[in-house]
Amino acid sequence: PRLGRSTRAVIAGKKTPAELGFTLHPLEENAVVAQIATMDGPRFQGCTGTLIGDRLVVTAGHCVVMNQQAWLEGAAEPQVIDPEIVQYVVGSDIDSPDCTLDVEAVHLQPQIAVTELHGIEHDMALVVLQRALLESCPHAIPLQYNSERLAEELVGQTLLQGGYGSLDGTYDFSPVRYWSALELTQRDLYIIMVSDTGQGMPTFGDSGSGALHRTGDGALRVLGVLSGGDGSSGSSSAFVRLSNESSFYGEVADLETVCGGVDQAGACIGEARVTCDGWGFRLAEDCAAQGLRCVAGEAGGATCASPPEPDAGATPQPDAGPAPDSGVDAAAAHSPVTAGDEGGGCNTVPGAGGPGWLLVGLLVGLLLAARRRQARQR
């Protein structure tokens, strides 16, 4: 069966962050990706993920559990999805993707657990891609994994979230990416809670998507990944707080999977100059917005430079115009925070006596799709 089409994904969301008052470069937007599984021919759309490195995706743990129903009921240990059948699609419409990323390994947070009181604890997974993003799909700038403690001042601020979910509980996921603006209303050591601001809310299929925040020095970071809702009105949602999962991140991520061949001297992704350090990628300069081109140096690094003068006998080419202004200045240096600075413990995801209304995983979608096929055969 083809992927389901909906008119919208995030409930009452927007097609671009700019409509919500957020300034993102199009390549930063493309860090939000859709999870796809191919089983015996048919393709199935599942959760949302976020690129946080040259070969690294972060998503919710329940999004990569194949025997989800038995696991949620406590009847079995979680069975992680086979890397050979899962992919991530880059672009605003997965029916017309910029590219598709194959997976090398799937790492489920080893402390993940289902509890009757709190739902899913440590609901997080890290996915390692087969090939370097910059070589195989130069259409996205990875965002940064936030290992830094969350300041009290963040409570009350608006975060950005994007996904490819459905409009209701039918699991008829949208292939189109939509965005919502959410208020951070509560934080503890393990989760952050966000509430409806009247500018969209995540829904089924948006599990695993990131809560995004632009720091004062211009970096775009993922503060948490969507795990579940409050089980009642759907007006608030819980995101697993990534700063509490830094030990797990450190076990999987390394300089190669995060930065690849990019360092603080920079590299070109299209006409954007990007850098990478211990925190991850950042957009250093949008060369096109300055009327310049991003040029890679022969000895490494990159810079924004004037376009070469055309040959006297060459046919003039039409000017495509500058790319949208990213609004991001060159980044200031900052020091990483030591992992685990706020202590250990379990991730308590609120629920109504159980996992909550957003606990949508790949297997649930597959089961429902199978039931629909069986019903049609009858």
Side-chain angles (χ1 to χ4, degrees):
R2 67 187 299 279
L3 299 175
R5 272 213 175 271
S6 300
T7 56
R8 294 182 296 175
V10 177
I11 296 176
K14 303 296 184 181
K15 282 191 175 182
T16 66
E19 295 176 78
L20 298 171
F22 288 84
T23 303
L24 269 67
H25 191 282
L27 296 178
E28 291 179 314
E29 295 181 24
N30 275 350
V32 177
V33 293
Q35 181 175 311
I36 303 293
T38 302
M39 301 183 66
D40 300 324
R43 299 173 71 228
F44 298 94
Q45 184 177 351
C47 292
T48 299
T50 307
L51 288 161
I52 54 168
D54 192 34
R55 292 179 54 219
L56 205 60
V57 174
V58 64
T59 189
H62 71 265
C63 291
V64 301
V65 175
M66 288 294 292
N67 60 334
Q68 190 178 99
Q69 191 61 40
W71 172 59
L72 290 175
E73 294 173 354
E77 292 297 313
Q79 178 185 346
V80 179
I81 192 170
D82 183 348
E84 293 186 359
I85 68 171
V86 65
Q87 297 174 315
Y88 287 92
V89 174
V90 177
S92 60
D93 186 338
I94 65 176
D95 282 346
S96 301
D98 292 327
C99 46
T100 302
L101 309 173
D102 295 323
V103 171
E104 178 180 288
V106 179
H107 299 270
L108 182 64
Q109 223 289 15
Q111 293 181 283
I112 193 169
V114 181
T115 67
E116 182 176 350
L117 180 62
H118 297 132
I120 302 180
E121 300 173 351
H122 297 288
D123 189 13
M124 175 186 168
L126 289 168
V127 179
V128 180
L129 303 173
Q130 287 186 11
R131 300 177 59 196
L133 182 72
L134 270 65
E135 297 175 0
S136 62
C137 180
H139 296 278
I141 297 174
L143 309 187
Q144 293 188 359
Y145 179 102
N146 183 64
S147 299
E148 191 174 21
R149 64 184 302 166
L150 301 184
E152 178 66 32
E153 291 75 19
L154 279 176
V155 175
Q157 292 195 22
T158 303
L159 307 179
L160 181 66
Q161 177 265 342
Y164 301 79
S166 62
L167 202 59
D168 51 30
T170 63
Y171 297 91
D172 184 21
F173 299 161
S174 169
V176 178
R177 183 176 55 212
Y178 279 76
W179 302 84
S180 59
L182 309 168
E183 181 185 356
L184 198 165
T185 55
Q186 177 186 339
R187 82 194 195 335
D188 60 24
L189 292 179
Y190 317 114
I191 64 167
I192 55 176
M193 294 296 298
V194 300
S195 295
D196 187 358
T197 65
Q199 299 182 90
M201 280 295 291
T203 183
F204 294 94
D206 293 323
S207 290
S209 59
L212 310 182
H213 170 66
R214 180 81 74 183
T215 65
D217 61 8
L220 188 58
R221 292 189 185 168
V222 186
L223 303 186
V225 292
L226 181 60
S227 176
D230 64 3
S232 55
S233 65
S235 61
S236 63
S237 298
F239 286 71
V240 176
R241 183 170 168 174
L242 294 189
S243 59
N244 187 57
E245 310 296 339
S246 295
S247 296
F248 169 55
Y249 173 76
E251 293 173 1
V252 177
D254 56 26
L255 195 59
E256 188 274 329
T257 54
V258 174
C259 290
V262 182
D263 57 20
Q264 296 189 56
C268 296
I269 302 181
E271 298 305 329
R273 189 177 79 85
V274 299
T275 61
C276 193
D277 56 19
W279 288 96
F281 276 79
R282 69 170 66 231
L283 173 60
E285 292 180 274
D286 184 352
C287 299
Q290 306 173 56
L292 304 175
R293 295 186 60 185
C294 186
V295 179
E298 294 182 1
T303 187
C304 290
S306 299
E309 293 293 332
D311 295 336
T315 302
Q317 298 297 318
D319 183 8
D325 186 0
S326 71
V328 181
D329 297 326
H334 58 285
S335 300
V337 176
T338 302
D341 62 309
E342 297 178 336
C346 292
N347 173 24
T348 53
V349 179
W357 62 268
L358 273 173
L359 297 183
V360 51
L362 184 62
L363 183 61
V364 179
L366 300 180
L367 290 174
L368 290 173
R371 290 175 183 171
R372 288 195 290 267
R373 290 198 302 272
Q374 291 173 359
R376 287 195 297 267
Q377 291 172 356
R378 296 194 188 101

